[in-house]
Each structure stands twice: as C-alpha cells, then as structure tokens.
Amino acid sequence: MCVLNNTLNKNVTMSNINISLSFRTKIQLITFQMTYYGPIILLIIGIFGCSCNFLTFTSRRLRKNSCAFYFLCSAIFEFLTISFGLTTRLAADHFHWNLQNKSRLFCKFRAYYVSTVPLIATYLILLSALDRCMSSSVHVRLRSLSQIKVAYRNVLIMIIIGLISCSHIIFSYDLRSKCATLPGMYTIFDGMFVVFWLGFIPHGMMLIFAFITLMNIRRARQQMMIRPTMKAMHINQKQSQHNHKTNAQLLLMMLVQIGLSSLLILTRTIYYAFYIVCPLFTGDAKALGSFLMSFTTLLYYTNYVKSFYIYTLTSQLFRSIFMQRIKECIPKCFQSNTPMLYCNSRRIDF
C-alpha cells in the first residue's frame, strides 16, 4: 500500500512539473514573439504617424496656434523616443547588441535618454491641457496666456526642467551584472521618480486641467445664453467662429489624448511600482513577471505612437488639414523630380 502511495505521489509530482514546464515554455515563447514583432510594428506606425503629425501641425492654419505648437513639439519628442528607445531595446533583446551592458558611458546615456525624452513629450501634452484651460477661462488675463509667444517660452522652460530633473540618472545608473540602478536608496528613489514624476503627477494634472476646461466651457455657454446680444459686438464674427471651431477641435483631440495616455502610462507605472516593491520572482512567477514587464513596456511605447491616429479619428479639422497638406506636397515632390530641358530659352518639362 505504501509503495502504491509513493508511486502515485511521484506521478502527481511529475505531472505538476510537466504542466509547470509547459506553462513556462508557452509564456517564454509568447514573450519572445511579442518583444520581437511588437517593437517593429510600433516603429513602423510610430515613425509614419510622427511624420504625418509634423506635416499637419506645420500647416498655415495651425502654425500660429499655441495648442497646436505644443502638439507639434510633443510629436518631435515622441519620434525621438520611439526611434532610439525601441531600436536599442529590439537590438538588445534579439540581435545580441548589448552595448548598454558593456559600455559604462552608453549605459548612463541610454538610461538618461529613455527617461528624459519621453518625460518632455508627456509634459508638453500637459502644457497643451494647460493652454486649453487658459483659453477657455472667463478671465481676460488668463486667456492672454494662450498665445504662441508664450508657448515658445513654455516649451523651452519645460525642456530645461526635463533635462535637469532626470540628471540624477547619470549618477544612479551603472554597470553591475547589467546596466541598472545602484542598489539601496538609488533603486527606491529611481522607482519613486518614475512612478510619480513621469506617471501620477503629469497625468493627474492633465485630468484636473481637462475637468477645469470643461467647466469653463459650460460656464461660458451659460453666460452666452444669458447675454445672447454679445455676439453682435464681435468685429469679425466669421473669424471668431472659425477660431472657435479650431479651438473646439483641438480641445477634443487633447481630451482623448489625455485619456488614453493616462490609461497606458499608469498601467505601466502601477506594474513598475509592484515590480519594485515585491521580492524577486522565481519559477513560473518569474516567466509571468517577465511577460508582464515586456507587455507593459510595449504599452509604454504605444503611448508615444498613438497621437496621429487619435487626432485622425477624433478631429475632422485634423483630417482635412492633413489631406490638404498631402495634396500640396505631392505635386511639389513630382515637380522637384521632373527632368527639364532648356531649348531656345524655353523650358520643356517631361
């Protein structure tokens, strides 16, 4: 009887081990495929989207709009984020290009770059939320802050703040077994920095400004209903309606951008905080933890890929300006590549 029980226990144990190995193998295979194809897809759609954003926000109609200028600058930093961050991660994960684990200088540079550039892109979206909040205010002095000359100054200040606020990374990251933060207080501080300064603080402020903006718009509509004759005081009513439509479209783009950005970044931030606080994983938990870390990293980079597609889906104004810019650029491209012959002072195009 004892021999039979021992045999059954061994069979159950072996069965559990086989199930565990099968689960771990499947998770590792999924993680491998995800970390290979995910960055490639994000790079393609991200570079295309950032290029289209640049093309649209440099149009004559949006060139002098402060909110559009924040979107333009954010698109530039989003391009810098995905082009370097995703490329180096893909190279390290699948092409054995581990320079960050061999060169102390590159370790510090990459850690600083992939923190600073996304942070600046995020805070530029925060500035766009602040700009919409100011432009919708009933106070003239606050509305005066929503100007392109103020936007130029704010962008410069935000870039400087981003560069300085991440400077501790240069000192806290170093080569150990791999490129990582130094143990002890450095690790805790870096984790809290990512969770709060890149995660909760900017996105919390975005949601607050978005709420205030909606309240300002509601208050302004109530005042217009009380005083309908105020419309007659406009010197140029057509231009006013044109600007109002543009601002309304930019507001919608900003609100959807904030909502999805908060969802993607906070998902990554919450798991990152859990990863720091919890002890090291082992066995199946380690494979699952690696999968979740890779998945939330892709969500993190998706945040810097999505903007063009959000703007296109939510704004008819953005779509029309984008198509207009495409129609303007295509003839110029063909014109610049058209060979010409000069015969008797007359130009002949082919």
Side-chain angles (χ1 to χ4, degrees):
M1 188 67 178
C2 291
V3 174
L4 180 60
N5 288 335
N6 290 335
T7 303
L8 290 174
N9 289 334
K10 288 181 180 179
N11 290 335
V12 171
T13 302
M14 290 298 296
S15 178
N16 290 335
I17 292 174
N18 290 334
I19 293 173
S20 178
L21 289 175
S22 176
F23 172 79
R24 197 180 311 172
T25 302
K26 289 179 180 178
I27 290 294
Q28 289 172 346
L29 179 61
I30 294 171
T31 303
F32 179 87
Q33 299 289 340
M34 181 176 63
T35 56
Y36 182 78
Y37 292 107
I40 294 175
I41 294 171
L42 291 180
L43 274 171
I44 294 171
I45 64 176
I47 292 174
F48 174 78
C50 290
S51 302
C52 294
N53 278 339
F54 183 82
L55 184 67
T56 306
F57 288 123
T58 53
S59 67
R60 188 178 295 110
R61 185 170 178 180
L62 297 177
R63 199 175 297 160
K64 296 299 181 181
N65 186 287
S66 54
C67 184
F69 180 70
Y70 291 129
F71 285 151
L72 171 63
C73 294
S74 178
I76 293 172
F77 280 91
E78 286 175 350
F79 173 80
L80 295 175
T81 297
I82 61 176
S83 60
F84 181 81
L86 282 173
T87 302
T88 53
R89 174 168 285 275
L90 178 64
D93 289 344
H94 294 280
F95 297 98
H96 308 291
W97 190 79
N98 289 318
L99 186 59
Q100 67 264 30
N101 295 330
K102 298 176 181 178
S103 169
R104 187 166 178 257
L105 179 63
F106 187 77
C107 166
K108 292 178 177 290
F109 170 76
R110 186 185 185 279
Y112 179 76
Y113 185 100
V114 298
S115 297
T116 305
V117 177
L119 183 141
I120 294 173
T122 299
Y123 275 86
L124 289 173
I125 297 297
L126 173 60
L127 286 179
S128 74
L130 177 60
D131 179 84
R132 292 300 87 191
C133 184
M134 295 296 102
S135 67
S136 63
S137 175
V138 296
H139 302 288
V140 177
R141 187 174 181 180
L142 292 178
R143 288 202 304 272
S144 67
L145 297 176
S146 178
Q147 297 182 31
I148 190 66
K149 61 181 181 180
V150 177
Y152 292 152
R153 184 182 63 218
N154 289 346
V155 168
L156 179 61
I157 292 172
M158 188 53 64
I159 291 174
I160 294 173
I161 291 174
L163 293 174
I164 294 175
S165 65
C166 294
S167 59
H168 70 277
I169 294 174
I170 299 174
F171 305 99
S172 62
Y173 270 76
D174 210 336
L175 287 178
R176 295 191 286 164
S177 58
K178 61 179 182 179
C179 182
T181 53
L182 297 173
M185 290 301 298
Y186 291 104
T187 301
I188 297 174
F189 177 79
D190 183 71
M192 295 302 101
F193 176 83
V194 171
V195 169
F196 290 101
W197 187 238
L198 184 58
F200 289 109
I201 291 176
H203 292 90
M205 294 178 68
M206 286 180 196
L207 294 173
I208 291 172
F209 289 141
F211 177 76
I212 295 174
T213 302
L214 294 175
M215 294 300 295
N216 288 341
I217 293 173
R218 183 179 180 183
R219 190 179 302 115
R221 286 177 178 173
Q222 290 174 349
Q223 290 181 355
M224 291 297 291
M225 291 176 66
I226 295 172
R227 295 179 295 173
T229 58
M230 288 294 291
K231 287 185 178 180
M233 297 177 62
H234 289 296
I235 298 174
N236 191 340
Q237 186 176 356
K238 185 176 180 180
Q239 182 64 30
S240 177
Q241 291 175 348
H242 182 272
N243 292 336
H244 177 74
K245 182 179 179 181
T246 300
N247 290 329
Q249 293 281 308
L250 289 171
L251 173 63
L252 178 61
M253 291 159 58
M254 184 269 295
L255 290 174
V256 179
Q257 171 83 316
I258 287 174
L260 284 179
S261 179
S262 299
L263 179 64
L264 294 171
I265 291 294
L266 293 180
T267 301
R268 162 70 175 179
T269 301
I270 291 170
Y271 180 74
Y272 188 79
F274 173 78
Y275 180 81
I276 292 174
V277 173
C278 289
L280 293 175
F281 298 122
T282 57
D284 292 347
K286 184 177 180 180
L288 186 59
S290 177
F291 166 79
L292 291 175
M293 178 60 76
S294 299
F295 178 71
T296 54
T297 299
L298 287 180
L299 289 183
Y300 172 78
Y301 280 108
T302 301
N303 180 59
Y304 304 103
V305 167
K306 71 185 187 312
S307 59
F308 168 74
Y309 307 97
I310 289 176
Y311 301 153
T312 303
L313 291 173
T314 58
S315 173
Q316 190 274 334
L317 171 69
F318 184 88
R319 292 193 298 270
S320 63
I321 294 177
F322 173 64
M323 294 307 298
Q324 181 182 356
R325 292 286 283 165
I326 291 293
K327 292 176 183 178
E328 291 173 358
C329 291
I330 289 177
K332 291 180 180 179
C333 293
F334 282 106
Q335 208 171 33
S336 61
N337 293 324
T338 302
M340 295 178 291
L341 289 179
Y342 289 86
C343 181
N344 296 329
S345 300
R346 296 173 59 188
R347 191 179 71 177
I348 302 174
D349 293 345
F350 289 91

